Amino acid sequence: EKCTLWDKIPLAFCVIELVFDEKGHGVDFVFRYCNEMMADVEGIPISEMINRSFYEVFELSLYTSDAAD
């Protein structure tokens, strides 16, 4: 269930799920929720963060930044 309180706060906020490798080490995380301020701070639309790993999101943003330059 979505909590609209986090949608309205003036701070970047996200909920992440930590991904572990076979040895139990944290190796990545997946964005499960991001508010609009998180999108503003990162410069990436919410739709491009939700249910994607950190490395997918920021690899994507690096390519997007390179293309814009």
Side-chain angles (χ1 to χ4, degrees), residues 42-61:
E42 297 300 343
I44 300 170
I46 293 171
S47 63
E48 291 182 17
M49 288 189 276
I50 298 299
N51 296 322
R52 292 192 176 154
S53 78
F54 176 85
Y55 293 108
E56 288 176 305
V57 169
F58 289 100
E59 180 179 58
L60 177 63
S61 72

Side-chain angles (χ1 to χ4, degrees), residues 6 8 12-13 15-17 27 32 34-35 38 40 42-43 46-47 50-51 54 59 64:
W6 295 114
K8 298 180 188 317
F13 180 82
V15 174
I16 58 170
E17 176 184 348
V27 294
R32 295 300 182 196
C34 299
N35 68 2
M38 178 74 174
D40 290 347
E42 297 300 343
I46 293 171
S47 63
I50 298 299
N51 296 322
F54 176 85
E59 180 179 58
T64 303

Side-chain angles (χ1 to χ4, degrees), residues 26-37:
V27 294
D28 200 355
F29 58 84
V30 176
F31 291 96
R32 295 300 182 196
Y33 169 82
C34 299
N35 68 2
E36 195 61 47
M37 282 300 290

